[in-house]
Amino acid sequence: MAAQWAVLALLAACMASAAKESVLNMCMDAKHHKTEPGPEEALHGQCVLWKDNACCTANTSTEAHQDQSYLYNFNWNHCGVMPEKCKQHFIQDTCLYECSPNLGPWIDQADTSWRRERILNVPLCKEDCELWWEDCQDAITCKENWHKGWNWTSGTNRCPRGFMCQPFKYVFPRPADLCEKIWSNSYKYTMEHRGSGRCIQMWFDPANGNPNVAVAKYYAQNGRDASPTPRAVLLLLPAALLSLL
């Protein structure tokens, strides 16, 4: 019996390791993502950071820079023209979402008709979140959650009746409010800094490599919900394998 459980434990460890590796270097099952990451030499503008290994196509990267693109028919300028310095952060957010192959540990099932998977609670570096908030605090919006609740009768997003346009700094009083609420907790505000290996960077210098590769690996190996724990795998093994021992 001891030998049998030793074999089960070994198999469980192998399966747990494989499960953790499976969330690395992957693309989510969403509207515009490729099925597998790979080189994309022609990525446009701010998305070029991911050209060596991307989940987005060149066309998707170009559309990510439009005020209102075919990607989601979403209009940044729903309460007037968004300042350029603010728009750059939303473009970078879109590039990260569409292009990054390093979000696997935070991929979750989605309950929408247009995508099967989404990201949830991606730990965003403190600087990225705070700079986003700082550069957008005087931009104007009417909603704190941009994922849902819009008036789409015109084919693009418009403010619902009764919602007032006001500066971001009133809709999102703190950086954490912006980063966590605007996309239904896709991101999580953290106290971790760029270069720490513990948070995802929206911005980085590709000449120094992609720091998010190491971040994804760290969280994949440290019990993120996307990776089954060894104990969970072990509980699944006996019924399937005891008959083979």
Side-chain angles (χ1 to χ4, degrees):
M1 179 61 75
Q4 293 175 337
W5 281 104
V7 172
L8 289 173
L10 180 60
L11 289 171
C14 291
M15 290 181 65
S17 177
K20 291 175 181 179
E21 290 294 323
S22 72
V23 300
L24 301 177
N25 194 41
M26 66 177 295
C27 302
M28 74 181 86
D29 186 355
K31 190 172 184 180
H32 300 290
H33 290 71
K34 294 159 51 178
T35 55
E36 295 181 356
E40 291 286 344
E41 291 296 329
L43 291 190
H44 178 71
Q46 292 175 216
C47 294
V48 74
L49 276 61
W50 289 274
K51 70 181 181 66
D52 291 337
N53 194 33
C55 287
C56 62
T57 64
N59 192 47
T60 295
S61 71
T62 299
E63 288 296 320
H65 291 71
Q66 305 303 314
D67 287 343
Q68 183 176 339
S69 77
Y70 82 87
L71 295 180
Y72 304 102
N73 291 324
F74 194 92
N75 183 12
W76 307 124
N77 302 322
H78 52 268
C79 279
V81 178
M82 178 180 283
E84 192 63 32
K85 66 178 182 179
C86 176
K87 189 186 302 180
Q88 289 180 356
H89 291 275
F90 281 96
I91 292 172
Q92 199 69 13
D93 158 49
T94 304
C95 288
L96 175 69
Y97 172 78
E98 299 289 351
C99 301
S100 177
N102 309 122
L103 301 175
W106 304 279
I107 289 178
D108 197 17
Q109 296 300 305
D111 57 357
T112 57
S113 60
W114 53 275
R115 63 178 180 178
R116 294 183 178 181
E117 295 178 333
R118 59 162 296 184
I119 50 173
L120 184 66
N121 294 324
V122 174
L124 201 59
C125 292
K126 177 181 173 71
E127 295 91 340
D128 290 74
C129 183
E130 293 185 350
L131 284 172
W132 190 0
W133 181 83
E134 183 177 332
D135 287 343
C136 289
Q137 59 181 314
D138 294 322
I140 310 296
T141 188
C142 57
K143 284 174 50 50
E144 69 173 17
N145 188 331
W146 286 14
H147 259 157
K148 56 187 178 181
W150 297 98
N151 178 350
W152 288 96
T153 56
S154 66
T156 187
N157 57 303
R158 291 185 176 179
C159 296
R161 180 177 297 179
F163 282 65
M164 180 178 65
C165 290
Q166 53 186 324
F168 270 45
K169 59 189 173 186
Y170 300 131
V171 180
F172 307 107
R174 305 170 303 149
D177 295 320
L178 170 61
C179 298
E180 295 181 356
K181 293 180 179 179
I182 197 162
W183 298 127
S184 304
N185 298 111
S186 291
Y187 298 118
K188 180 173 67 175
Y189 176 80
T190 74
M191 298 302 292
E192 303 289 351
H193 294 281
R194 292 176 180 171
S196 66
R198 300 294 182 268
C199 60
I200 291 292
Q201 295 182 208
M202 280 189 178
W203 307 83
F204 58 88
D205 182 355
N208 297 323
N210 184 342
N212 296 330
V213 174
V215 177
K217 187 173 183 178
Y218 170 81
Y219 282 103
Q221 293 177 342
N222 285 274
R224 298 301 299 177
D225 290 341
S227 301
T229 64
R231 180 173 178 270
V233 175
L234 185 59
L235 289 174
L236 295 174
L237 282 173
L241 297 177
L242 274 178
S243 62
L244 301 178
L245 298 177

